[in-house]
Amino acid sequence: MSDKILMKGNEAAAEAAIIAGCRYYFGYPITPQNEIPEYMSKRLPEVGGTFIQAESETAAINMVFGASSTGARSMTSSSSPGISLKQEGISYLAAAQLPCVVINVSRGGPGLGNIAGSQGDYFQSTRGGGHGDYRTIVLAPYNCQELADLTLEAFDLADEYRMVVLILADGFLGQMSEPVVLPEPSGKKFNKDWAVGIGRKNKVASLILSPEDGLTKHNYVLKEVYDKVETEVRKYEEYMLDDADYLLCAYGSSARICKQAITELRNKGIKVGYFRPITLWPFPYDELLNASKGKKKILTVEMSLGQMVEDVKLAVNGSIPVDFYGIPGGMIPTPEAIIERVESYE
Amino acid sequence: MSDKILMKGNEAAAEAAIIAGCRYYFGYPITPQNEIPEYMSKRLPEVGGTFIQAESETAAINMVFGASSTGARSMTSSSSPGISLKQEGISYLAAAQLPCVVINVSRGGPGLGNIAGSQGDYFQSTRGGGHGDYRTIVLAPYNCQELADLTLEAFDLADEYRMVVLILADGFLGQMSEPVVLPEPSGKKFNKDWAVGIGRKNKVASLILSPEDGLTKHNYVLKEVYDKVETEVRKYEEYMLDDADYLLCAYGSSARICKQAITELRNKGIKVGYFRPITLWPFPYDELLNASKGKKKILTVEMSLGQMVEDVKLAVNGSIPVDFYGIPGGMIPTPEAIIERVESYE
Amino acid sequence: MRGKPVIYTEKCKGCELCIYSCPKDILRMSEDTNKKGVNYSMCIDESQCIACKMCAITCPDNVIEIVKFK
Amino acid sequence: MRGKPVIYTEKCKGCELCIYSCPKDILRMSEDTNKKGVNYSMCIDESQCIACKMCAITCPDNVIEIVKFK
Amino acid sequence: MSNEEIVYKKSPSMMERETHYCPGCTHGVVHKLIAESLDELGVEDAIVVAPVGCAVLIYDYMKLDGVEAAHGRAPAVATGIKRVLSDKIVISYQGDGDLLAIGLGETIHAANRGENITVIFVNNAIYGMTGGQMAPTTMPGQKTTTSQSGRMADDVGLPIRACELINTLEKPVYIERVSCHNGANILKAKKAIKKALLNQKEGKGYSFVEVLATCPTNWGLTPKKAYDWLEDTMIPYYPLGNFRDQEV
Amino acid sequence: MSNEEIVYKKSPSMMERETHYCPGCTHGVVHKLIAESLDELGVEDAIVVAPVGCAVLIYDYMKLDGVEAAHGRAPAVATGIKRVLSDKIVISYQGDGDLLAIGLGETIHAANRGENITVIFVNNAIYGMTGGQMAPTTMPGQKTTTSQSGRMADDVGLPIRACELINTLEKPVYIERVSCHNGANILKAKKAIKKALLNQKEGKGYSFVEVLATCPTNWGLTPKKAYDWLEDTMIPYYPLGNFRDQEV
Amino acid sequence: MLHEKIIFAGFGGQGVISAGKLLAIAAMKEGKEVSHIPSYGAEMRGGTANCAVVIADDPIASAIVHKPTICIVLNEPSLDKFEPLIQEGGVLIYNSSKINRKPVRTDITVYEVPCNDISESNGSIRAANMAAIGALLKVKPKLASLESMNTALYEGISERNHKHNPINIKVIEEGYKFIN
Amino acid sequence: MLHEKIIFAGFGGQGVISAGKLLAIAAMKEGKEVSHIPSYGAEMRGGTANCAVVIADDPIASAIVHKPTICIVLNEPSLDKFEPLIQEGGVLIYNSSKINRKPVRTDITVYEVPCNDISESNGSIRAANMAAIGALLKVKPKLASLESMNTALYEGISERNHKHNPINIKVIEEGYKFIN
Ligand SMILES: Cc1ncc(C[n+]2csc(CCOP(=O)(O)OP(=O)(O)O)c2C)c(N)n1
Ligand SMILES: Cc1ncc(C[n+]2csc(CCOP(=O)(O)OP(=O)(O)O)c2C)c(N)n1
Ligand code: SF4
Ligand code: SF4
Ligand code: SF4
Ligand code: SF4
Ligand code: SF4
Ligand code: SF4
Ligand SMILES: [Mg+2]
Ligand SMILES: [Mg+2]
């Protein structure tokens, strides 16, 4: 117990990044993620790193582009509107196969919206808000501990696959404090022969003019990486599914509420469990399909009008009915609402 | 025949916008859509309108926000990277329920990519590249005539539902010239009581701080509109489906190639037809499901690594197999490749 | 008696800026609090008020009106 | 004879800027075209060249080298 | 009492509603100067473009049309509005993060185009709304939540002077820096704001007024001490005065 | 012949490869000035950040590391690189659309932070790569594809002067405007570029060199006439010379 | 099964956020599940500050508390706001030094604690929040022990403020004793 | 069934893009399906300019032409580039005024036309593209008639350039006649 520290989600993520060896942070203030830049502005200089408060989110992601092109571990963070502004940059990073970590402590939208937590950015995160055929790994923690652990891991994943790794948290998770055991670095080493500044006259670029022998080929190179990630990186959690009649599917903060609803439903004699995707891309399609075998119905729960539910449908491909319960705009669903919905199935 | 004019797609779209009464254009140069701002810079002053070459795509979409908040018909256009930069603005427009038209003459991506036509922005267009729960109507023309017709109609749809309407064209369509009969304006009138500057002390805003009584409610208001659009606005074309064994599903430029492949396949005695979604959002799910009844297989054809194919799968929900053929990076699929794939089903 | 400040105390946020602005130094913060729970501004000697308006001009929250006697 | 320009004519894009830069006015465009299909620069009287390098400095395409005689 | 005359009261253009501003926040002062100026100029149908910043709700406090811009984009939004409604007064109200950081491009370009709008720039040397991060105008040595040992010029540069920057452009007709840290300065600020609005009314073109302001909350000072800090620290770096007045 | 000496040849830092530039395009001139300066300074491991603009492929023509930035973001990308590799020479090479339109925010802020980088600004008064649209530096009356009757200052403002704008900031150590429209000017341009790179090598800080350049293709002029137009039209508006040199 | 949903509310300067955090740390030290979240929602500026602390034996679903089981309110606007939200049978501790009116709910247990007076009589004008914590620990001893709270004071407060801890501890004890 | 995929190629200034456009307009006037697309791909600057025109009875799938049935090349680099791409049995018309080498393909029909000479001998240094069109219309009369081409010249060219049309028409006719 003694190494547990009560940490705010945002700060846990920031410290985990530092443990992962991230020494370059570029960001712009926006609630509810301000503790990340604030923490970094203090801590990075202490460990010999660099913090820059960029002039905008756009500048920040492009500073990450620069730092990452040298092979250094770097990151940025923001919240929904700021993440929208980074989409061009993310597409460029993906095209140039630069590794980096982007944290979205998402909030209620669209527009300026509000600063409460929300899951309205699922589409943007998993379907590439930017242009072109590309993917980013998307990790969705559901508590402060996992936020720290996944942030650490994100840097390894980014380096291993030379991809942008997006952490999709939400305002509740960012603002909440919970006991956290800070993770240990993996110690993994990665080849960065592609970086600039290492005496190889390397180029980091995404302009590939000729379609035939250029961009199309490059798209297939990227696809190969994505296919690899799809087989190698799928994270999820199953909870009380063995004997369950109904499967709840939820990620992040809404999965926590599902957990409570499950306890209460089981107290009432209704057998429910959950499947919690932790990688939103790659989405654990096969695993969810497997988990859904023999269940009567899936209820997808989101803090949105329904986005992940499409992936759930794609996973089960019509094999069992998929229902949806969600609440948008920065509200957190109540266990009661979930219980009521599930009871209606009986 | 005599009123047909040979027009470049980009210019046909621009002229159609002017016919629709659009008098405010804000944009930033980017290939392959430059003929739109260039045409507008010349034509708008002639009809008493305003053309501004904005300092960036971000500025352009926000100028549209301003003009649209007065109730005036306004638009912007760009190509993939520039559209990424507009995502925050589009989310704000959606949140504030401002009508406007955005044309994406998309190109090969991700990153700087190339300037050939591509369909790699389907996800971004239909799943909201911006943050939060919102939708934009997405229209996908497949020739210059339709590009003109849909641009005209886009302004009516935008005003009717107070939504952003995105025209998803591609570089080939934008650069190509074809015979076009310029469309007639619908003459429809729309209530714009919500606009500023009409003496009502109106506010156009998207900050809604309190989740409970604010943003969540507003999200449901938006959802109601979206639900309405989903019932009222679904466009698609069916071609030679009646007796077909196989259904090709494609939109825009790739649908044209499918048409040719169909002719050749039928010459070989293989019965094929196509379903061409014209509204990509709302996607004609039910109509596609209906059209797919009794077919053996669907082949989705895209100029990408596979994006619309997810909507096709969602539409048929496992009822028949869905295959995919695509080519990314600014290449156009050949009829031969499609024919070969379909022949492999026999 | 040239005038007086009319202070809408329930609206006062207690910033004290008016106090410092008054050339006659006749404004003070109350002991009591208003419904917002803050000490509010009050005039301790209206007879000295010269209706110079400085307090009102300074108040960021439009709490003070100035009345001039003819 | 102080020097001479060595013109890699196949690389010449035919912009003619070197022509105008030469103080001795000894550069001219060719009648022939190179493989690119453009008329290229050539020196019509090397004996007058003062090796001032202006043509080479001006050439945007690094077409010209200057040789100086000792 | 018939021998009483109200010589100062809340401007009719202000709403009754209380602001959400912290005690002593000078955004409230700038709001009322705008309202008073509009009233005095007889303008009833101005359109204010709100920034993303503490003043995001300005349209809730004044009787006018309001449009809320995305962070930093107010000048672009104002441009869009003004190009349609050329006879309406359009005001772009912005904080220092909004105007000089994320929105610098829009700021300079609207000024350079000479849009016939009025930009009111509230420079409080900090990001107020997000809780006190460093702004482009944060003073050297000033502690903020992202410059916890004080702004270090070596690393992040010196504060940007907006008026001086804009003064390199040809089209603006009026550029002035004022302060609102006491009655006398507030009165001068009012003059500048009114002039800037009058310019627009007369179709003269782009006017820019920078108002030095306080953020007691994030500066960690009482409102009065914030006044003093503004005077002692900011004014020497940001000299008050007129930079351009086309008529002069 | 042993009595011959090559006194001018392609700089070793230039690749053999031919550029894609139009005949007479001065991007080629600026490239070689950079290459020559690097060679003379003995720098073999510079990193050039390419803009989105005609010079997007600069890294294909010079023997150095290259990073291609998104349109307008070169100074931000250069900042990211330089903050990691503080001992490497980092060059941000940008056109006028890139540096003054979409990337103005990044330009000013990198300058204001005083990043120890060298910015080479190629001002050809037009968007070359996209086919000749109006740039922030397009001259009044100049016809472009988006100002087909000539740039009208009333509507879109006057050209922006980059050096003058940056000169309002405190941190830059070196700001100079040169031209490359004939041999004499090219030699001066070379001096400025070399100085700007030397400053970086010596850790002095941010240096900015604006090079007036031609775009014969989109100006619709022969390369020689483009020289003349630059001299007659641009130089009077964009005065050549040094704006700041910290040592002076 | 322990599952308390606690709201601390007061003015900005009254230290409700840190009081909540200290309580959470103390409970964490005892191996309980805890969460803490400051309100950062609708009210951007001014107004009341508050935070929610959940202390439970089981994993905590939501750190957001809509209907608290326990409320500690240090000023009147907070009483107005939160009194109606407390769950039936819940607990309300209010700072009678700063709140003039009496709570009206009769379906909850109400404790009147003159927090500022207790703080001041122990030599600090800033420890009213500590008095409230003391009272809370007496009312709900399962949340955390006084010892754990002492540990929390040293672990949860930055070193340079440890000098205030002797008084903080004193005030907590006095608050504890005040309830009987 | 008519389905010709035509590429016009040459230097920037040789008017290949507009020649293609005029041909497309002429064919359109006769009720045919047409498309025209300039190359705007890999080569950003310099090099050759070209455009693709498709003229067909049926709707046109792709305006992009990978393997042309007809090529009209006005300079040597274009010949180098496109000669290998022409479909077997296709047609190549090349500008012998500017191209020194002979085409090498033997599986296509090659027409040598001195376009610049024809243009110049009719009083214009700019109408080489018209000579090529004239030749093409003779070789492939189904594409469009000379009359439609004349109409196209007036509809497809901006008014201020109509003054050149008499010469253009003359050159087209001469090009037409050149083939026999
Ligand atoms: C794109 C985007 N980035 C960041 C934010 C968060 N944000 C809100 S206000 C603000 C800055 C406020 O500072 P300033 O403009 O100086 O205004 P003030 O509050 O000080 O008046 C920021 C960064 C946002 N809402 N949107
Ligand atoms: C986000 C984005 N917007 C627009 C473009 C299109 N674009 C490419 S280069 C360019 C401008 C080129 O002009 P300039 O910077 O002056 O460089 P030049 O070509 O004149 O050297 C533009 C607008 C793009 N690639 N990305
Ligand atoms: S009007 Fe002047 S004298 Fe009277 S109270 Fe106000 S500041 Fe003081
Ligand atoms: S200035 Fe206004 S708000 Fe502040 S104390 Fe005085 S009356 Fe109250
Ligand atoms: S070196 Fe000087 S003199 Fe010789 S050819 Fe070149 S420019 Fe002329
Ligand atoms: S300057 Fe260079 S490219 Fe131009 S004509 Fe002379 S040698 Fe040729
Ligand atoms: S945070 Fe600062 S700027 Fe915002 S309302 Fe409070 S005092 Fe004013
Ligand atoms: S378009 Fe202009 S800038 Fe670009 S290469 Fe050609 S001449 Fe140079
Ligand atoms: Mg501020
Ligand atoms: Mg340029």
Side-chain angles (χ1 to χ4, degrees), chain F residues 20-23 25-27 54 124 126 128-129 214-218, chain H residues 45:
Chain F
H20 66 287
Y21 299 121
C22 306
C25 174
T26 43
H27 271 302
C54 276
N124 59 11
I126 207 149
M129 192 198 217
T214 66
C215 175
T217 301
N218 287 303
Chain H
R45 302 271 142 249

Side-chain angles (χ1 to χ4, degrees), chain A residues 68 71 73 97-101 137 152-165 186-192 194 224-226 228-229 231-233 235:
Chain A
S68 173
R73 285 194 158 178
Q97 295 189 275
L98 290 180
C100 72
V101 174
I137 295 175
L152 183 101
E153 192 177 344
F155 284 93
D156 280 356
L157 288 171
D159 277 344
E160 183 157 348
Y161 298 104
R162 296 181 56 188
M163 283 179 71
V164 176
V165 180
S186 72
K188 283 190 201 160
K189 294 267 167 279
F190 298 91
N191 177 341
K192 301 213 172 167
W194 45 265
E224 220 167 283
V225 177
Y226 302 157
K228 195 152 179 269
V229 174
T231 19
E232 295 177 357
V233 188
K235 288 168 181 288

Side-chain angles (χ1 to χ4, degrees), chain D residues 3-5 18 21-27 43 48-56 64 66:
Chain D
K4 68 171 183 196
C18 51
S21 76
C22 176
K24 308 305 287 182
D25 195 20
I26 53 175
L27 299 175
C43 182
Q48 286 195 55
C49 174
I50 54 172
C52 71
K53 302 188 278 190
M54 276 304 157
C55 54
I64 308 177
I66 305 297

Side-chain angles (χ1 to χ4, degrees), chain E residues 27 95-98 122-129 135 137:
Chain E
H27 271 304
D96 37 17
D98 196 80
V122 179
N123 177 0
N124 59 11
I126 208 150
Y127 284 50
M129 193 198 218
T137 54

Side-chain angles (χ1 to χ4, degrees), chain A residues 1-327:
Chain A
M1 290 281 121
S2 68
D3 47 356
K4 273 193 185 170
I5 322 169
L6 190 77
M7 283 188 102
K8 212 171 200 182
N10 283 333
E11 289 171 352
E15 185 58 36
I18 288 173
I19 295 170
C22 170
R23 291 295 175 273
Y24 301 92
Y25 176 94
F26 309 97
Y28 188 80
I30 185 168
T31 311
Q33 62 84 57
N34 287 320
E35 292 80 7
I36 301 181
E38 288 169 359
Y39 190 93
M40 287 302 203
S41 75
K42 186 154 181 288
R43 278 286 281 145
L44 274 174
E46 290 171 8
V47 295
T50 296
F51 164 86
I52 298 184
Q53 182 174 317
E55 54 272 30
S56 69
E57 290 87 351
T58 313
I61 191 75
N62 285 288
M63 290 174 184
V64 167
F65 191 101
S68 173
S69 71
T70 71
R73 285 194 158 178
S74 78
M75 72 175 288
T76 186
S77 64
S78 188
S79 180
S80 311
I83 297 289
S84 292
L85 289 172
K86 293 184 198 288
Q87 292 304 328
E88 190 206 21
I90 292 174
S91 175
Y92 270 74
L93 283 154
Q97 295 189 275
L98 290 180
C100 72
V101 174
V102 176
I103 303 184
N104 180 2
V105 183
S106 69
R107 56 191 244 179
L112 190 48
N114 66 17
I115 56 179
S118 156
Q119 298 183 326
D121 297 355
Y122 183 94
F123 277 149
Q124 186 196 53
S125 310
T126 61
R127 296 299 185 275
H131 59 285
D133 272 302
Y134 75 92
R135 293 290 191 176
T136 59
I137 295 175
V138 184
L139 305 175
Y142 86 141
N143 63 22
C144 294
Q145 181 66 55
E146 206 173 60
L147 178 49
D149 295 345
L150 289 177
T151 301
L152 183 101
E153 192 177 344
F155 284 93
D156 280 356
L157 288 171
D159 277 344
E160 183 157 348
Y161 298 104
R162 296 181 56 188
M163 283 179 71
V164 176
V165 180
L166 186 75
I167 311 259
L168 184 59
D170 69 54
F172 300 126
L173 211 46
Q175 289 301 314
M176 176 192 319
S177 298
E178 285 185 321
V180 171
V181 180
L182 285 172
E184 298 279 323
S186 72
K188 283 190 201 160
K189 294 267 167 279
F190 298 91
N191 177 341
K192 301 213 172 167
D193 280 355
W194 45 265
V196 299
I198 57 168
R200 288 169 160 261
K201 311 274 180 237
N202 281 332
K203 321 286 173 213
V204 172
S206 70
L207 173 74
I208 304 172
L209 279 169
S210 152
E212 292 88 338
D213 22 279
L215 189 56
T216 302
K217 263 194 201 146
H218 183 59
N219 283 118
Y220 286 126
V221 169
L222 295 178
K223 182 170 164 20
E224 220 167 283
V225 177
Y226 302 157
D227 288 347
K228 195 152 179 269
V229 174
E230 285 209 79
T231 19
E232 295 177 357
V233 188
R234 287 180 182 216
K235 288 168 181 288
Y236 57 94
E237 186 205 6
E238 296 185 345
Y239 179 67
M240 298 214 158
L241 276 180
D242 287 350
D243 65 341
D245 288 328
Y246 304 107
L247 184 155
L248 302 182
C249 188
Y251 70 97
S253 289
S254 44
R256 294 170 69 125
I257 311 297
C258 288
K259 216 164 201 169
Q260 184 174 330
I262 288 168
T263 311
E264 299 184 26
L265 279 162
R266 286 196 169 255
N267 285 342
K268 296 182 179 207
I270 303 179
K271 289 188 204 137
V272 194
Y274 83 38
F275 184 94
R276 176 170 73 90
I278 297 171
T279 51
L280 301 185
W281 192 89
F283 191 86
Y285 290 114
D286 304 334
E287 295 78 357
L288 173 55
L289 177 63
N290 263 340
S292 73
K293 296 257 162 74
K295 310 298 177 223
K296 294 186 186 161
K297 202 181 248 206
I298 298 183
L299 174 62
T300 307
V301 178
E302 299 180 61
M303 285 149 58
S304 79
L305 290 172
Q307 303 193 3
M308 183 181 70
V309 63
E310 290 192 359
D311 275 327
V312 175
K313 286 183 182 161
L314 287 169
V316 302
N317 201 26
S319 62
I320 66 168
V322 175
D323 192 14
F324 171 74
Y325 174 77
I327 183 155

